[in-house]
Amino acid sequence: MAAAAAAAATAPRAPRPGQARPAPGPPLARRYSAGGAPPGVPLSCPLPGVPKAVFAAAEGRERFETRVTALENGLRVASQRKFGQFCTVGLLINSGSRHEAKYLSGISHFLEKLAFSSTAQFGSKDEILLTLEKHGGICDCQASRDTIMYAVSADAKGLDTVVNLLADVALQPRLSDEEIEMTRMAIRFELEDLNMRPDPEPLLTEMIHAAAYRENTVGLNRFCPVENTNKIDRQVLHSYLRNYYTPDRMVLAGVGIEHEQLVECAKKYLLGVEPVWGSAQAKDVDRSVAQYTGGIVKVEKDMSDVSLGPTPIPELTHIMIGLESCSFLEEDFIPFAVLNMMMGGGGSFSAGGPGKGMFTRLYLNVLNRHHWMYNATSYHHSYEDTGLLCIHASADPKQVREMVEIITREFILMAGAVGEVELERAKTQLKSMLMMNLESRPVIFEDVGRQVLATNTRKLPHELCALISQVKSADIKRVVTKMLHKKPAVAALGDLTDLPTYEHIQAALSSKDGRLPRVYRLFR
């Protein structure tokens, strides 16, 4: 009975009177629709009744190159094509804490917090967010030492609205008294939070820059000092914006859109627009070149209660030692990047956190041999006119002297022999990290904007990979030897009772084995 019912269900039904008989379809396609190949048809031949496959082909390289157009007012428009429904568009401005020498420190920090607030067109931040929401968009602003970046990711169909909004946010902010007061409160809270975090890396980064470039350019504080929060008002902000928010210091970058369309939007909203602070000529633009000084910045701090709870972090002392490297515009930048990766460095976008490689020198020679060291990480900060390679290490306060000696020894060993396997691994890891990061549209946007802002062009990933492949062990030795001739920069945070003197650290970095001078004490 069941077999008869199943046969009746699958049998073709006779057409009703007046109903057209269906046209006979391809019998093989119908019989073998489950995926099995028809008998007698080899796999190298197309299946009967199946449409011919259309395969994706690699397009010409010119379609993926970054296109740059300069407008009459000096503003540059840069775009990069990328498949997808969404785009990332933003304004990058050559303005940051390094330009605040003639102003109150902390203006860039204020501008970062005030971004995407009320403007000439939009009455509040909520209005801006609702406008972006219609295009599935999100916005962000980030200020660094040398750049401030306003960015929006949204549906590519809303490009006109997005560029209009970006132009309004950058050039027509209202900067109301209420918004400035809210920003003061937000900055005070952030500074308190920064001093209470278990991870002191942001504080140490500020300290190492202050030590390396004492009171100039990139050595100026990125965060607003507490005493300046009440001094910064609309008049101070307008005075700064008049000098640094000029078209010749801006790049409108976009990823995932057509270049011509972005240029049209730029002409429409960023050409001939008078900013809210007026169109007076910039007068006090700081064009100082970074002056590396070296030095030490120490902060005695009780770190015994930074992380209480069920699994408290033990009390640690944090040391960061750095030496001047080079600008990202110099040829030696690539060997320094390889060296940083070889040591155990990462950076802002390092997968799994920086220094996690089990074959890096800081893991093999330091963490693997000295169980009492909690951290050893290499960092490479590079700017338009200088750079800083540093190692951050953490240990118990009683073992600070030994920890410093281990770091200085690693600096000296950098100038020694570099194994072929070790070098190839570091180069492969660097290329892998570069390509992985450039899978992300916001990262491509930042890369396009920063390169065009600094050089008016962009090196494509395959060009950078070719440069990485060309690095030889002799290049590593050359750049390290040059670096070791500079004075060190030292940042120290925590219980510094056993910290060696700056002169002793300098002597260790000038020695052959990196050892600190012996200190003989009568009483311990």
Side-chain angles (χ1 to χ4, degrees):
M1 287 286 288
T10 55
R13 296 181 182 178
R16 296 195 197 99
Q19 184 181 359
R21 184 178 292 275
L28 285 172
R30 188 166 62 242
R31 277 181 60 198
Y32 298 98
S33 58
V41 179
L43 291 175
S44 56
C45 296
L47 294 176
V50 177
K52 188 178 178 182
V54 179
F55 296 101
E59 299 186 47
R61 221 186 84 189
E62 64 278 357
R63 293 209 52 191
F64 298 98
E65 288 185 346
T66 303
R67 295 181 62 186
V68 182
T69 300
L71 302 187
E72 294 84 30
N73 61 355
L75 181 130
R76 287 153 288 174
V77 182
S79 74
Q80 175 78 46
R81 294 194 59 172
K82 185 171 173 65
F83 175 78
Q85 181 184 349
F86 279 74
C87 66
T88 300
V89 182
L91 267 174
L92 287 93
I93 305 166
N94 188 9
S95 155
S97 59
R98 69 170 294 165
H99 301 107
E100 293 171 1
K102 300 175 183 175
Y103 292 88
L104 288 166
S105 179
I107 290 176
S108 297
H109 195 185
F110 256 78
L111 291 171
E112 180 185 40
K113 297 291 177 207
L114 284 163
F116 295 99
S117 297
S118 63
T119 68
Q121 289 184 43
F122 301 93
S124 66
K125 181 172 278 191
D126 289 341
E127 275 190 44
I128 290 175
L129 296 178
L130 284 169
T131 303
L132 286 174
E133 198 176 293
K134 293 172 186 174
H135 301 285
I138 55 171
C139 60
D140 185 29
C141 178
Q142 292 179 10
S144 62
R145 295 181 188 282
D146 52 1
T147 313
I148 190 161
M149 179 174 68
Y150 299 85
V152 170
S153 285
D155 193 306
K157 292 176 184 174
L159 180 65
D160 192 82
T161 305
V162 166
V163 176
N164 179 23
L165 188 147
L166 285 166
D168 215 43
V169 163
L171 302 176
Q172 305 285 336
R174 284 187 185 171
L175 304 178
S176 68
D177 294 337
E178 185 184 356
E179 286 169 350
I180 290 173
E181 189 53 45
M182 289 290 288
T183 300
R184 286 179 183 139
M185 291 169 63
I187 286 174
R188 287 188 200 116
F189 174 80
E190 188 177 342
L191 293 173
E192 278 184 38
D193 177 60
L194 205 63
N195 286 306
M196 292 167 65
R197 284 184 197 170
D199 177 23
E201 197 269 326
L203 274 180
L204 281 164
T205 301
E206 289 305 303
M207 290 163 65
I208 196 80
H209 279 83
Y213 306 92
R214 194 167 291 277
E215 295 178 3
N216 77 88
T217 57
V218 293
L220 300 176
N221 202 330
R222 194 168 67 86
F223 300 107
C224 180
V226 179
E227 61 272 16
N228 284 357
T229 51
N230 286 327
K231 298 175 187 175
I232 295 175
D233 55 19
R234 190 190 298 113
Q235 187 179 350
V236 172
L237 293 170
H238 277 189
S239 170
Y240 178 87
L241 291 166
R242 188 174 297 111
N243 286 318
Y244 291 101
Y245 275 42
T246 53
D248 57 300
R249 301 177 69 88
M250 293 182 182
V251 168
L252 176 68
V255 176
I257 35 84
E258 293 291 339
H259 184 72
E260 289 77 13
Q261 194 181 354
L262 186 62
V263 171
E264 284 305 312
C265 290
K267 288 178 178 176
K268 186 175 176 183
Y269 297 112
L270 289 161
L271 196 60
V273 177
E274 184 171 339
V276 71
W277 48 86
S279 56
Q281 200 69 22
K283 293 177 183 176
D284 299 321
V285 178
D286 183 15
R287 304 190 189 279
S288 306
V289 176
Q291 302 296 316
Y292 181 84
T293 59
I296 185 166
V297 172
K298 299 188 287 186
V299 175
E300 285 270 1
K301 187 179 177 185
D302 181 12
M303 305 285 280
S304 59
D305 58 351
V306 291
S307 179
L308 301 174
T311 54
I313 295 174
E315 182 182 358
L316 299 174
T317 295
H318 302 271
I319 305 293
M320 199 178 265
I321 298 176
L323 291 164
E324 188 183 20
S325 58
C326 73
S327 150
F328 59 71
L329 298 176
E330 295 178 43
E331 289 182 2
D332 285 345
F333 172 68
I334 300 292
F336 270 116
V338 174
L339 171 67
N340 182 49
M341 192 58 66
M342 190 173 75
M343 291 305 297
S348 306
F349 308 108
S350 170
K356 298 294 190 292
M358 292 183 69
F359 290 99
T360 61
R361 286 194 179 186
L362 291 178
Y363 185 88
L364 290 173
N365 301 347
V366 179
L367 298 175
N368 203 28
R369 295 184 182 181
H370 308 284
H371 64 89
W372 45 269
M373 281 188 69
Y374 282 80
N375 170 44
T377 311
S378 170
Y379 293 96
H380 187 215
H381 306 279
S382 197
Y383 305 97
E384 201 171 343
D385 49 3
T386 187
L388 191 66
L389 184 84
C390 43
I391 295 177
H392 169 207
S394 313
D396 187 274
K398 293 175 185 176
Q399 292 169 305
V400 168
R401 185 178 176 83
E402 194 177 348
M403 172 174 67
V404 170
E405 190 169 79
I406 288 166
I407 297 173
T408 54
R409 199 181 304 154
E410 285 305 312
F411 269 112
I412 297 298
L413 288 172
M414 286 181 196
V418 178
E420 195 61 37
V421 174
E422 179 185 35
L423 181 63
E424 286 303 316
R425 183 184 287 121
K427 292 197 290 188
T428 304
Q429 197 175 351
L430 181 60
K431 286 188 276 190
S432 171
M433 193 179 78
L434 172 73
M435 300 308 289
M436 182 184 65
N437 291 333
L438 290 174
E439 289 286 320
S440 167
R441 192 180 58 249
V443 176
I444 300 172
F445 154 76
E446 188 173 346
D447 183 48
V448 169
R450 284 184 181 276
Q451 286 202 50
V452 172
L453 194 63
T455 66
N456 290 323
T457 58
R458 180 187 179 227
K459 280 184 179 170
L460 294 175
H462 70 270
E463 295 176 271
L464 292 170
C465 286
L467 291 171
I468 292 167
S469 299
Q470 291 168 15
V471 175
K472 304 285 188 295
S473 56
D475 297 323
I476 302 291
K477 188 170 184 176
R478 174 175 51 79
V479 298
V480 172
T481 305
K482 183 181 174 184
M483 179 176 72
L484 287 170
H485 283 98
K486 303 286 178 71
K487 288 176 66 179
V490 182
L493 178 69
D495 182 349
L496 308 178
T497 309
D498 291 336
L499 179 71
T501 64
Y502 178 75
E503 290 73 24
H504 281 188
I505 295 171
Q506 191 174 357
L509 287 168
S510 303
S511 67
K512 290 182 178 179
D513 56 4
R515 290 185 180 277
L516 290 163
R518 297 299 95 188
V519 176
Y520 299 99
R521 296 181 184 174
L522 189 60
F523 301 103
R524 285 190 176 273

